Amino acid sequence: MPSSPFPGQVSLGALILAAGKGTRMRSDRPKVLQTLLEEPLLRYVLDAALALCPDKTWTVVGHGADLVGQTVAARGGRLILQEPQQGTGHALQVAWPALTKAGLTHVLVLNGDTPLMREETLRAFLAASLAADADLAFISLTPKDPAAYGRVIRTKGLVEAIVEARDYDEALHGPPSREINAGVYCLRLASVAPLLSSLKDGNRGREFYITDLAHLAVFVKLTVLGHNHGDCPELLGINTPQELIRSEEFLREAIIRRHLEAGVLIRSPQTVRIGPDVELEPGASVTGPAELYGRTFVRRGARISSHCRLTDTRVGEGASVHSFSLLQEAEVGANCVVGPYARLRPGAILEEEAHAGNFVELKKTRLGRGAKANHLAYLGDADIGAGTNIGAGTITCNYDGTDKHQTVIGRGAFIGSNASLVAPLTIGDGTVIGAGSVITEDVPAAALAIARSRQRNTARKK
Ligand code: UD1
Ligand code: CA
């Protein structure tokens, strides 16, 4: 696919408006960092923009600029600071010098709170703008409920203006249509530049509106195109918690559908939440309710039972993750068994056929091939050799109150129930640790170590 949908004489850039506060979310978090399936809204917009304009995508930041800027920088976008934030038109004015300096002829402007605007939709819109030779084009929608979105006013089918819902006056503008502005624009820089200084903040919001460019352009007889995309609720901007959940639900359903079509078995699909970057091989199975996020990868034949949550975790072929398990940045090898009620924290590595059973917690710990910790254990900062058995209640005492220490256990060892292994510690291959021992010193290979007081049976006093 060509990187620019426009022919050679056109130089297209993208500008994402993401400096606003998002007052209607009533949250301290900048709105564009609210999440859909655990990924910030802005990331979806950035991905679409960067796909179209890889080296020419700018993001206007302001409210929460540090945090928002990190998300942008992590994906390779460029930043423009808008301070203070005086509206979408003001954001465009602030960005303008960078756009002209880059030698753009056209800019695609995207609201940062419109995450489900897909690359294909944008390509079709850009193609339509070009075909119409538009100076200013925008995507419009005709949802069932026009809510608080900007209203498109047309006369004989031609765009007259975009009027914000709060400024809409029936006496002045006539009966409202259901056509609204989606917040995606394609501007020809040479045509729009002379209009920028005419933006005024004499509206109810006391802000400079990018949408006022529409009637300014019509007034000077430029070509203005409202490219209607019909009733597409998933393309609506997100301003309220209800709108956020509505969009998340659209995305969730689309992702589930994609996996089902690819041959992943998803049971109770209405209760399964899968992030956009999760990979599931055909023949993997997930039973809801379940959540899979981040860069999780589940191979064929693996089974994720209900009530599990996996983030950035790899699950190998034929592995079983039983109910109520929480896995984060973990690696589960082929044919392993995890849970029920297991917790695998970052750095947990289970090699093939290893088990981490009920109420077992692992952190920065490798369980070698076929090693088993089937019940009630905490294994942190440990390296456990192949075939070793960890008895119920075993604890690696890895923290001395100041520092963390390592426990190394060889292959084929047998750690008796309720052992406390005080790190740093090395336990050799084939060694047996007696149940209830508190082990504070290294144990060589093929030894039997018991560290507990001897049982004494005496006559009971009468
Ligand atoms: C905007 C449109 C409206 C449209 C709707 C679609 C305007 C005036 N109105 O309304 O016609 O129907 O989007 O979703 O543009 N932002 C900045 N700097 C600012 C203010 C906002 O960068 O000073 C950013 C926000 O972070 C947001 C985007 O611009 O991502 C849109 O701003 P928002 O306040 O959400 O506009 P709406 O009222 O939704
Ligand atoms: Ca908005």
Side-chain angles (χ1 to χ4, degrees):
M1 213 181 271
S3 69
S4 168
F6 282 171
Q9 70 274 25
V10 169
S11 169
L12 177 73
L15 181 70
I16 300 172
L17 308 183
K21 184 157 187 275
T23 316
R24 286 167 278 174
M25 289 301 297
R26 296 169 193 257
S27 160
D28 292 337
R29 189 192 284 213
K31 182 174 62 180
V32 294
L33 297 187
Q34 296 287 348
T35 57
L36 290 191
L37 299 172
E38 302 287 295
E39 298 289 330
L41 300 189
L42 182 56
R43 167 247 143 115
Y44 295 96
V45 186
L46 267 168
D47 283 357
L50 286 165
L52 289 164
C53 308
D55 313 311
K56 293 187 205 151
T57 291
W58 288 262
T59 303
V60 182
V61 298
H63 181 77
D66 287 350
L67 277 177
V68 180
Q70 281 167 22
T71 298
V72 176
R75 302 192 93 80
R78 304 192 214 181
L79 293 169
I80 293 168
L81 185 65
Q82 182 197 12
E83 192 65 66
Q85 298 87 45
Q86 296 176 316
T88 49
H90 178 242
L92 182 67
Q93 288 169 335
V94 170
W96 205 259
L99 307 179
T100 42
K101 198 167 160 214
L104 304 183
T105 59
H106 290 72
V107 63
L108 173 70
V109 183
L110 302 164
N111 280 355
D113 62 358
T114 307
L116 302 188
M117 204 53 85
R118 288 179 314 152
E119 190 194 329
E120 302 87 275
T121 311
L122 295 173
R123 278 186 190 277
F125 164 62
L126 290 169
S129 311
L130 180 68
D133 200 21
D135 296 295
L136 185 157
F138 63 95
I139 298 184
S140 73
L141 302 168
T142 316
K144 294 202 175 51
D145 174 14
Y149 299 101
R151 307 297 159 90
V152 179
I153 300 177
R154 294 186 188 251
T155 308
K156 292 191 187 137
L158 294 178
V159 173
E160 283 281 335
I162 301 169
V163 178
E164 292 310 297
R166 62 200 303 197
D167 297 309
Y168 200 93
D169 178 352
E170 284 202 28
L172 204 62
H173 304 112
S177 75
R178 280 180 22 241
E179 187 180 13
I180 61 116
N181 166 32
V184 175
Y185 317 83
C186 177
L187 311 176
R188 191 203 302 271
L189 267 74
S191 312
V192 170
L195 309 178
L196 280 182
S197 58
S198 304
L199 291 176
K200 299 274 186 302
D201 65 352
N203 46 52
R204 291 241 164 96
R206 291 258 152 257
E207 287 191 342
F208 298 93
Y209 291 161
I210 193 172
T211 45
D212 283 345
L213 288 174
H215 76 255
L216 291 172
V218 170
F219 190 71
V220 295
K221 304 214 163 16
L222 296 178
T223 305
V224 176
L225 175 74
H227 182 69
N228 190 265
H229 216 278
D231 176 17
C232 258
E234 70 269 32
L235 302 188
L236 290 170
I238 294 174
N239 303 294
T240 63
Q242 291 90 325
E243 289 167 1
L244 180 85
I245 298 311
R246 173 199 63 198
S247 290
E248 188 171 54
E249 199 48 27
F250 272 113
L251 180 63
R252 193 194 67 75
E253 282 174 8
I255 291 175
I256 294 285
R257 212 177 306 126
R258 164 161 66 81
H259 288 299
L260 282 169
E261 280 164 12
V264 181
L265 196 54
I266 302 180
R267 295 196 161 88
S268 294
Q270 63 283 9
T271 61
V272 177
R273 301 163 64 77
I274 300 177
D277 299 331
V278 171
E279 288 181 65
L280 305 172
E281 283 190 348
S285 95
V286 179
T287 300
E291 296 174 86
L292 282 70
Y293 296 127
R295 300 241 161 229
T296 290
F297 181 31
V298 181
R299 302 205 78 124
R300 62 190 65 243
R303 289 176 36 185
I304 314 295
S305 301
S306 67
H307 300 93
C308 289
R309 189 182 208 271
L310 280 66
T311 307
D312 297 321
T313 287
R314 297 175 72 83
V315 180
E317 243 177 89
S320 295
V321 180
H322 293 303
S323 293
F324 300 101
S325 295
L326 180 64
L327 285 69
Q328 193 184 358
E329 292 173 44
E331 261 182 60
V332 176
N335 302 314
C336 284
V337 179
V338 175
Y341 295 98
R343 177 161 185 215
L344 304 188
R345 292 167 54 196
I349 299 172
L350 271 62
E351 291 182 351
E352 273 179 51
E353 290 166 23
H355 290 195
N358 22 243
F359 304 104
V360 171
E361 175 180 347
L362 262 68
K363 187 220 60 167
K364 283 196 191 152
T365 288
R366 180 186 72 99
L367 271 183
R369 187 186 177 126
K372 294 188 173 73
N374 273 323
H375 339 260
L376 300 159
Y378 170 64
L379 304 169
D381 302 302
D383 187 84
I384 296 162
T388 284
N389 191 83
I390 306 287
T394 296
I395 306 286
T396 52
C397 309
N398 58 332
Y399 185 48
D400 61 12
T402 314
D403 297 310
K404 299 277 169 67
H405 302 282
Q406 196 73 18
T407 300
V408 178
I409 304 176
R411 303 164 145 258
F414 182 93
I415 312 297
S417 295
N418 210 31
S420 298
L421 308 176
V422 182
L425 199 61
T426 300
I427 294 172
D429 292 346
T431 277
V432 174
I433 304 289
S437 292
V438 177
I439 302 292
T440 54
E441 287 165 25
D442 289 354
V443 186
L448 166 65
I450 302 181
R452 64 184 187 221
S453 55
R454 188 174 277 278
Q455 180 173 340
R456 241 167 18 108
N457 293 346
T458 54
R460 199 177 150 196
K461 282 186 189 138
K462 293 261 162 60

